Each structure stands twice: as C-alpha cells, then as structure tokens.
C-alpha cells in the first residue's frame, strides 16, 4: 500500500538537524526549546479571560498572568506557533497531511481517543510538575548538562517502559 | 564572546518573537520529518519495535552539547549566559514518573502532539485537549502541594559538578553512552521490529 508519501528522515539525520536547531537557539537566544510552557500559558489566558480575580488569587496562574500581564506575550508561545506551522509545512510537502486517528490493531479509534485524552491529561499535569516536558527538560536541559533534567529524562523513560506492558493492547 | 546574540542586545523583544516563530518552524519541521507526528511510531519505542525517539533525542543532545562546548572554546559563545534548567529533584522525578505513564497512554509528548495535530491526526487534537485540561487541574490544585514543587532544590546544578569532571570529559562519557545505546537500539529493532510492515 505504498503511495506517494515521502519517507521519514533517518533518525540520526533528524537528530543531527534537531541538534543544530537547538544549538542555533542557544546561540541566538541564550535559551532552549519548549512546548508545554506555551500550553500552560494558553490555559492561563483562558482562565484570565473568564475570571481575572481567580488568576490573581492563585499563585501559580498569577505567575503567568497576574495583574496586567498577558500570558501569551512570551517567547515560547511564538515558538509553538512556529512548531505548528513547521509541522504543517513538512506534512504537506511530504504528502503526509491526512485526517486520521493513529491506533494499534487491537483498539478502535474511539478507544484510542479516550486514551489520548487520559494520557494527555496525565502528561499535562506531569509536565507542569516537572517544570517542563520532553523539549524543555530532556532535550534542552540535557544538552546543557542540567542535573535535574537528566534525572527527569531517565525516570520518564524508565516509567514509560514499566507502564508499557499494561497498555500494550493499545499499541501492538 | 558575542553570543548568545539576544543576551548581548543584538535585537530586542519584538524581534525575538519573530526569531521564535522561525526557530519554531524549523523545530516543528524537523519533528515531523523524524516521524514524530505518528503516535504509533513514538509509542513503539516502549516495545523496542522502533527506537527512533531515543536515536533522535540523543543525537540532538550530543550535537547541541558539542556545538556549545566548541563555540565556547573558540571564544564565540558565553555558556554562562545560556538558560540552565534549575534542579528541583522532588518534582522533576515525580513529574518524570507521571509523564512516562502519560507518554505510553497518550502516545505523544506535548511538542509532538502539536506536530501530529498540524498533520491532521485527530488523536493529536484530543491529546492536546487532555493536556490543557491536565494543566488546568495542576494550576487549580497547585496550592495543595506547593511545598513539594520546590523540594530537592539544588540550584543550577550540572552533571559536571555532580561528577566532579570537566565538561569535555562529561561530554565524552555521554557520547560513549549514546553510542552504546544506538548499538543496542539497532539490535533491539532487528529483534522486535521485524513484524512491522
């Protein structure tokens, strides 16, 4: 069933290019890449729109949007807009843009949606607790040799391997 | 030394947002090209069927790490001005455990879910909705475990301090470890990845 889709890059090529992008970010901006921070700011923006008092009364939300602060006026938010554009661009160029649900052979798309929401929720919570996600902690913190980032990365993958057995029917 | 450019005031905040979009485009483009818009490819990492995640991540870490060390060595990059993630061992380890669980169940991490959605994956959109909801819960419940979120604080701790080694030696050890893992990954893929079409 091979169609006109282009092949993915070799993992080592993709890793090399990703490393150069990260290096460029260090050299130009003096900071690393990220993703979950921008999502948190989006959430805070919505909460702030519904109830500014609620944001000011919660020390976590207030950090992003206390008083007159606009949570979306931030480097990561613009970077994430770029990530979406870049993903779309690459997908379109490679003929890979397609409305579909990724799921294993032993689970229905609807079942997969439930898992996606649950897993997303767990990860959203965890990413805020860990002060960053795979991009901000593991990748950027890893390359700058931050001790906590390495601890985070090792524990995250170990945890994934332990839990994988219990949800194998979703994937294999 | 004259970089990081932003820290040496080569441009201001407005331009930095333009730079952010450009860097983001390159980031998202690369993630998609690596195959990270596909939850199955990501999740198969945890069944040793497709070790792309490990290969891409560690290659990227090594390239960026060596790059910063070399640019520092030739007097271009002031590494002390690069943001260093502070270490809070308590929440980082607990967050790591939680995220590992979420990764296998959800099939994406936050960054890859954006790329998946951008290429039309419905499960990507639902994952994002879940992640935003989880973050809302985190913010709402934050006062309950506020003390834990700053536990195990070690400041700007680096592996170099922890191991008492120079950055060059630590980098060398990380490269050795990565090469070992790449070698192992190739073997595992041959063993477990065969049934992939």
């Amino acid at each position: 069933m091979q169609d006109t889709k282009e092949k993915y890059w070799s993992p080592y090529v993709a890793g090399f290019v990703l490393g150069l992008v990260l290096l460029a970010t260090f050299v130009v901006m003096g900071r690393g890449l990220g993703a979950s921070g921008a999502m948190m700011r989006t959430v805070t923006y919505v909460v702030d729109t519904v109830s500014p008092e609620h944001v000011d009364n919660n020390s976590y939300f207030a950090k992003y949007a206390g008083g007159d602060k606009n949570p979306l006026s931030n480097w990561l938010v613009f970077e994430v807009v770029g990530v979406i554009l870049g993903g779309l661009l690459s997908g379109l160029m490679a003929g890979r843009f397609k409305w579909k649900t990724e799921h294993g052979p032993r689970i229905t798309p609807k079942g997969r949606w439930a898992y996606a929401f649950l897993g997303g929720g767990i990860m959203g919570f965890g990413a805020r607790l860990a002060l960053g996600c795979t991009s901000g902690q593991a990748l950027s913190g890893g390359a700058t040799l931050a001790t906590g980032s390495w601890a985070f990365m090792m524990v995250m993958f170990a945890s994934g391997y332990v839990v994988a057995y219990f949800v194998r029917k979703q994937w294999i | 030394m004259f970089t990081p450019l932003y820290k040496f005031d080569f441009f201001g905040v407005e331009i930095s947002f333009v730079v952010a979009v450009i860097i983001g485009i390159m980031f998202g483009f690369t993630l998609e090209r690596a195959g990270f818009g596909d939850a199955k490819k990501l999740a198969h990492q945890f069944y040793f069927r497709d070790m792309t995640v490990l290969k891409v991540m560690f290659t990227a870490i090594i390239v960026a790490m060596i790059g910063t060390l070399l640019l520092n060595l030739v007097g271009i990059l002031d590494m002390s001005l690069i943001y260093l993630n502070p270490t809070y061992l308590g929440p980082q380890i607990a967050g790591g455990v939680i995220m590992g669980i979420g990764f296998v169940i959800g099939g994406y991490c936050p960054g890859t879910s954006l790329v998946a959605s951008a290429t039309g994956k419905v499960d990507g959109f639902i994952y994002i909705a879940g992640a935003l909801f989880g973050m809302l819960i985190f913010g709402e419940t934050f006062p309950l475990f506020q003390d834990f979120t700053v536990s195990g604080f070690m400041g700007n701790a680096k592996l170099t301090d922890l191991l008492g080694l120079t950055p060059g030696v630590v980098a060398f050890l990380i490269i050795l470890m990565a090469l070992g893992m790449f070698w192992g990954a190739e073997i595992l893929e041959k063993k477990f990845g065969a049934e992939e079409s």
Side-chain angles (χ1 to χ4, degrees), chain B residues 101-135:
Chain B
I101 298 169
F103 202 160
V104 188
I105 294 176
Y108 298 108
C109 59
T112 51
S113 71
L114 296 167
V115 173
S117 303
T119 51
K121 306 301 188 305
V122 180
D123 49 326
F125 282 100
I126 293 171
Y127 177 99
I128 291 177
L132 296 175
F133 182 70
M135 289 178 187

Side-chain angles (χ1 to χ4, degrees), chain B residues 40-58:
Chain B
K40 274 189 289 184
K41 197 171 177 63
L42 294 164
H44 280 180
Q45 164 81 24
F46 295 105
Y47 302 94
F48 303 115
R49 292 187 172 203
D50 186 328
M51 303 302 283
T52 303
V53 175
L54 179 135
K55 293 182 203 169
V56 171
M57 276 210 62
F58 276 91

